[in-house]
Amino acid sequence: VENTPARQLSSFRLAMGLLTPHAMSSSQFIQSAFSPAPLQTASIQQLWSLTLWGSVVIFSVVVAFVFAAVERNMHRPSNEARSSTSEKVVTRSGSATIAVTFVMLVSLLSATVACRSREQILSEQEKALTSLRATTVAVCEAWLSGAVSSTFARTALQVTQDLLQKHHVTLTASSPDALADPAARSVSESENQLAQTLALLWKGINEGDSLGVRRQLSTVASDQSRFR
Amino acid sequence: VKKIFNLTLGVVTSIGGFIEVGSISTSAQAGAEFGFALLWAIAVAALILAVLAEMAGRVAILSNRSIAAAVRERFGIHLQMIPLGAELIIDLLLLAAELGGAAIAVKLLTGVGFQWWILPVGMVVWLVLWMGSFTIIEDGVGLLGIITLAFVVSVWHLHPDVRTVASGFVPSVPDHDVTRYAFLAVSIVGATISPYLLNFYASGSIEEELTESDLWINRLTAFLGMGFGSIVAMGVLVTAAIVLGPRHIQVDSYEQAALMFVPVFGSWAVTLFALALGVGCLGAAIEITLNAGYLLAQSFGWPWGVEKKRRDVSRFVAAFSLVLLLSMGIAVSGFDPLRMTLISVALTVVIMPGIVLPFLVLMNEEEYVKRHTSGAIGNGLLAALTIVGAIMAIIVVPLEIFGG
């Protein structure tokens, strides 16, 4: 039987399908200019997860055996418990193996969690922006109803402004061409707009201008309902 | 009757575990982002902490040795240096975070930057330890801790659906942000089971002069005390889930967290939140400072105890004063208290197996616990905790770095 590239791909898909049945559902992966190989990358990700969790299981089993050995050693008479040279070598080798496995697992997991896609970063930014808008509305509404003092309202808006600044830096610093993406640019513009509104709200609260605060608040609230 | 009042030791210990800067923020974050879905993590943490505290108290009562002293005696100073070093680093970071938390509470009321309040808060902690006896510290913090019941009162007023709340006690995988969910679950457990709590609790049992006939009080204190703390922590989570969740407010600052009280307490909201946060952090700061003194004194065989005259325990006093001073230095230098809590939580989880394994040995030796050795259930729980702790130790660092 001729081993053509098409057949190789078919075998690879079959193998991946056996390991991860959901990965083969073609409806989940749409090919586009931004994602030219969705099926293959998904398969690699599944294989990666399989390796990672396989290693976690092996590590757990090793820890369980070490625990059992320690427990057995505890019940031995003290003269037997003194370890011979060979036992010391085994202990050291065992400890070294556990340490190496531990480092490998931490590295694998770090790599897994750290590799976030641009979409994920953008989604987190949108969520954070929604949260900061909601905080702004809640603080100002509480101030208008007399539930919180001007001091607290000003401090809370200042902290919101600081958090917004941090998120904005994260977005723009994620990659040099971050703002080339229209969705990222839209989030960045919304962040700038909220920053300006926060400054006006802070000024309004400082001057006790409840009408001005209400006016600004309606802008934030309409943005919030539009983006939610 | 007097010994029944020893229950405040459990309440004070639980304040350090459940109602301090890290636990309040993680519970509020969990509630705001995942509703009631992480209630099970608080319940699991409470159970583990109660079991470990009971064991620590049992060893202390029956052998008249704290955990640090017993581990040093049983395993030698070389092995003791590892948990001692790790616990001291955690204590330093946590203490700095708690001082920062108490200072943030004052900032919520005054609007003046929190760094300005760290030195006064640190001075208050030192004066309480310098002038107070263990009973005064214990009862004072325990009584002030009642203010934290405001979180439970707010749940009562908000009338959550009991069935929906109960569903949070069954662990489930969320349909979104799994990494964040795992991060918060590990953070809740890590922020709750701090190693200093166990040594503080054991040392407190010795200061209280409990005897073998008081073992039932120890059990009651451990379980009721941690029950109190966990109910308050659940109150934080449920209030945040009901008030902040539907408004899509994530908790990234204590100003945001304070808003959870507004619908229930109106104009008292910020004051009550600040008092609860302040009392919790102050109580935890006193506990950690005292524990640092206990830990160093017990590890190196110095005389110790808050009940004794200060000149008779000069090295113990110098040790806790130095640790407090160092932590004040870290806190003043501008580190974010929340960030410091995250680092200490990660360290706590990493050393958890190292803390639990010696327990397993001590709880099976009649020299330390006489005829009250652990049964199959106790040993099984510790063994399971060691393995779960080892797994958590692997996943905590990446989760803390990227999930938080």
Side-chain angles (χ1 to χ4, degrees), chain B residues 12-205:
Chain B
V12 172
T13 310
S14 78
I15 284 176
F18 293 96
I19 317 160
E20 43 80 56
V21 68
S23 299
I24 289 179
S25 61
T26 46
S27 298
Q29 284 173 340
E33 291 175 44
F34 295 98
F36 309 127
L38 277 159
L39 276 173
W40 65 268
I42 298 177
V44 167
L47 183 70
I48 294 172
L49 188 56
V51 168
L52 290 178
E54 190 277 329
M55 288 178 177
R58 206 184 329 159
V59 170
I61 291 167
L62 296 171
S63 69
N64 206 31
R65 298 176 187 93
S66 70
I67 297 302
V71 170
R72 182 204 168 197
E73 188 183 280
R74 175 64 180 78
F75 299 98
I77 190 69
H78 292 297
L79 200 129
Q80 167 67 359
M81 290 310 281
I82 300 167
L84 174 69
E87 204 172 326
L88 272 179
I89 293 169
I90 293 172
D91 280 0
L92 269 175
L93 293 172
L94 270 180
L95 183 53
E98 301 304 342
L99 293 171
I104 285 174
V106 187
K107 180 198 164 193
L108 288 176
L109 296 174
T110 61
V112 178
F114 81 92
Q115 277 96 343
W116 293 100
W117 299 108
I118 283 168
L119 289 180
V121 168
M123 281 305 293
V124 170
V125 171
W126 190 82
L127 281 174
V128 168
L129 292 178
W130 177 254
M131 299 172 85
S133 66
F134 192 82
T135 316
I136 290 173
I137 294 166
E138 188 185 19
D139 293 348
V141 175
L143 277 175
L144 285 172
I146 290 172
I147 190 90
T148 58
L149 286 173
F151 289 105
V152 183
V153 174
S154 71
V155 173
W156 181 265
H157 275 270
L158 290 166
H159 300 297
D161 178 46
V162 178
R163 264 191 206 168
T164 321
V165 173
S167 68
F169 288 98
V170 181
S172 56
V173 180
D175 52 359
H176 64 100
D177 298 331
V178 180
T179 311
R180 178 81 178 153
Y181 179 86
F183 159 75
L184 285 170
V186 172
S187 294
I188 287 172
V189 176
T192 306
I193 311 170
S194 299
Y196 76 85
L197 292 173
L198 304 175
N199 200 53
F200 173 82
Y201 185 87
S203 306
S205 301

Side-chain angles (χ1 to χ4, degrees), chain A residues 5-33:
Chain A
R7 183 173 290 280
Q8 282 174 354
L9 181 62
S10 169
S11 309
F12 175 73
R13 281 180 177 172
L14 181 64
M16 288 297 101
L18 288 172
L19 288 171
T20 55
H22 298 294
M24 297 306 288
S25 163
S26 58
S27 61
Q28 289 175 11
F29 306 106
I30 301 161
Q31 193 173 30
S32 71

Side-chain angles (χ1 to χ4, degrees), chain B residues 59 112 129 187 227 231 248 299 338 392-393:
Chain B
V59 170
V112 178
L129 292 178
S187 294
I231 285 170
H248 302 276
S299 296
L338 266 177
M392 277 170 59

